[in-house]
Amino acid sequence: MKAVWSGFLLSVQFLTVIPIRKQIDWNDATARWSVRAFPLVGALIGVIEAVTYFMFSSFSSLSPLFLALSLMWLSIWIAGGLHADGWMDVSDAFFSYRDVKRRQEIMSDSRVGAFAVLSILFLLSFRFLFMFETICSDFDIFLIAVIPVLSRTAMAWLLIYGKPAKQTGMAAAFREHADRYDAHVAMIIGNCLLACLCAIHFSVWKTVIFLACGTIFAVFVARLFFEKQFGGITGDALGAFVEGVETWLWCMIWLLRSYVMV
């Protein structure tokens, strides 16, 4: 149980800005449970976002514009900008149109290029659009908690099943200890969390299945893309994936509410 708890705390410490004062030892058991706990961290993030949205929406004076913007920035802030930074680094590397080795070097560069700024503006603008349109429709607040669970579960799966681009960095450090069994455990935990959400509010189960299928598709596409363009998976690639898949899931909800559930 100590390894389970330490692994969860390590995931919280790494994937969020929630302060964890405890010194956590990095070892095989802790690293493996950290990967398995990715969906739990997603659930924690989702609950914080859903509760914050519920509190804000209880004030009738707050517009859907404010709710959408605050929810979007909360998702960026609670992750400490880690995934947004990954998206920007990957964008700079991809739009350099260099060879794989040079792209890896660009991703490791701390400097921010023009394409990084343009791409993050593009990403967040469309996410805000999808959020705003969804909030203006008949929106189920439970879906706010579903998205981070799916994105972090998929991140664990991509981390283990994707080919490492290099032997150093965050992704390589986790891959040194974790294997496919840990990805399966993470998936089981993620499915259990989603089942609990559906049990609490049964009406969302069809939407959850729809989003889960979209997430599986995103993992498949992301794995092929990263391996072709960057030689494999890196920490920046995982961060970019989380930002991209969350925008994709909000797009799916918007499409579902706009063109299916009319």
Side-chain angles (χ1 to χ4, degrees), residues 29-228:
T30 302
R32 296 187 69 176
W33 275 107
S34 179
V35 174
R36 297 173 187 179
F38 282 3
L40 293 173
V41 176
L44 177 62
I45 294 172
V47 168
I48 293 173
E49 292 179 0
V51 169
T52 302
Y53 176 85
F54 176 77
M55 290 191 300
F56 283 169
S57 62
S58 62
F59 296 96
S60 58
S61 59
L62 297 181
S63 67
L65 181 67
F66 175 84
L67 294 175
L69 189 61
S70 61
L71 182 60
M72 183 187 72
W73 282 113
L74 178 61
S75 67
I76 301 294
W77 174 81
I78 200 170
L82 177 68
H83 306 315
D85 178 71
W87 176 273
M88 296 172 71
D89 288 340
V90 167
S91 299
D92 259 344
F94 175 73
F95 288 109
S96 69
Y97 301 110
R98 303 293 184 86
D99 56 64
V100 171
K101 183 178 180 180
R102 179 57 182 150
R103 286 178 175 180
Q104 292 178 2
E105 293 174 354
I106 293 173
M107 277 197 293
S108 301
D109 194 332
S110 59
R111 291 172 294 182
V112 176
F115 284 113
V117 176
L118 291 173
S119 66
I120 196 68
L121 288 175
F122 178 87
L123 177 82
L124 296 183
S125 296
F126 273 95
R127 187 188 302 179
F128 170 76
L129 173 65
F130 301 141
M131 286 180 163
F132 176 74
E133 292 289 340
T134 300
I135 289 172
C136 288
S137 66
D138 185 17
F139 175 62
D140 199 315
I141 192 174
F142 278 82
L143 295 177
I144 295 176
V146 168
I147 290 177
V149 174
L150 285 171
S151 64
R152 271 62 178 191
T153 303
M155 180 172 65
W157 192 264
L158 184 62
L159 168 65
I160 301 303
Y161 275 85
K163 182 180 72 173
K166 52 186 180 180
Q167 300 304 314
T168 59
M170 185 277 293
F174 278 109
R175 280 294 299 267
E176 183 180 349
H177 301 281
D179 55 27
R180 294 190 175 188
Y181 176 78
D182 301 300
H184 296 156
V185 173
M187 185 179 67
I188 292 171
I189 293 174
N191 288 337
C192 290
L193 291 170
L194 295 174
C196 290
L197 288 171
C198 291
I200 294 172
H201 198 66
F202 187 72
S203 63
V204 301
W205 73 271
K206 291 182 180 179
T207 305
V208 171
I209 292 177
F210 181 66
L211 295 178
C213 292
T215 304
I216 294 171
F217 172 77
V219 171
F220 177 75
V221 172
R223 179 183 176 184
L224 294 178
F225 174 79
F226 289 131
E227 290 183 357
K228 179 180 180 180

